[in-house]
Amino acid sequence: MTSDHDMLWRRCAQLGRLLLPVVDEEAWRQARRHEQLGAWGINVAEGERLIEVFAALAAHAVAVDTSLSAAELDVLPLSAVADAATGKCDFELLAGLPDTFADGRDELAVKVFRLYTYRGGQYSHRLVRLSTELRHVLNVLAERSRMPSPKCGHVFFWAAAAGLSSDHGDSTN
């Protein structure tokens, strides 16, 4: 039986996987992000995967801090996720994660994030840059929204309306 804590992580990971495809509705945004990652010396595929897991970690940290369940993640404001991405220390985002991950890609991405966090130096600097990019993505989505304070549930709705799938091997989707 899957615990609510594990379900919360899965839902946060799903949110992270949907953010970039949703913001890339305007194709030029992806090209801009790829240029930016390249200018920072970050491999595009690795950078985008780290942005995804960064979003999941930030959403998860806020959900845990505010005692939200997996079912309640939809009401979490995108602004709270953005604030956590740039306002919490990297190691704070790693607190309270599940012991095991249903999706091996999530586990690997979290391990890379953890390595970057504890390695310091240029790796910590990369995380700062990625957190800034994540905040930018969340701000773009908030500005694009007709809602005054869009929530995580809106991202799931926008993704579904665009026919996007977040399934990367996770059977819970």
Side-chain angles (χ1 to χ4, degrees):
M1 184 97 190
T2 305
S3 73
D4 189 58
H5 187 73
D6 291 336
M7 289 302 297
L8 175 62
W9 168 256
R10 289 179 185 185
R11 190 82 166 136
C12 291
Q14 181 183 26
L15 174 72
R17 287 189 294 270
L18 291 172
L19 285 177
L20 296 181
V22 169
V23 82
D24 289 348
E25 177 181 290
E26 300 163 308
W28 64 269
R29 291 195 183 279
Q30 182 182 54
R32 187 210 61 86
R33 185 175 58 255
H34 289 182
E35 285 178 30
Q36 189 65 52
L37 290 170
W40 290 335
I42 300 172
N43 172 279
V44 170
E46 180 181 354
E48 289 190 339
R49 184 62 183 127
L50 282 170
I51 291 169
E52 290 175 4
V53 79
F54 214 132
L57 289 166
H60 186 266
V62 176
V64 168
D65 287 351
T66 57
S67 302
L68 290 179
S69 69
E72 298 168 318
L73 184 67
D74 286 358
V75 301
L76 183 65
L78 292 181
S79 60
V81 178
D83 290 345
T86 55
K88 286 188 174 282
C89 294
D90 301 335
F91 63 86
E92 289 179 294
L93 297 175
L94 294 167
L97 290 176
D99 294 329
T100 59
F101 295 87
D103 186 333
R105 289 187 67 226
D106 289 344
E107 184 173 11
L108 179 61
V110 168
K111 285 179 179 180
V112 170
F113 186 94
R114 186 175 283 127
L115 177 65
Y116 274 34
T117 298
Y118 293 111
R119 192 137 185 223
Q122 71 178 3
Y123 296 96
S124 288
H125 190 63
R126 284 181 181 178
L127 288 180
V128 169
R129 287 179 164 166
L130 293 171
S131 72
T132 302
E133 185 64 25
L134 172 57
R135 185 175 191 90
H136 174 74
V137 166
L138 292 166
N139 286 339
V140 165
L141 292 176
E143 290 168 5
R144 188 187 290 166
S145 174
R146 296 176 194 204
M147 305 302 294
S149 179
K151 315 268 188 279
C152 292
H154 291 105
V155 174
F156 295 118
F157 175 80
W158 297 326
L164 299 172
S165 169
S166 65
D167 188 15
H168 291 290
D170 183 359
S171 61
T172 64
N173 296 324

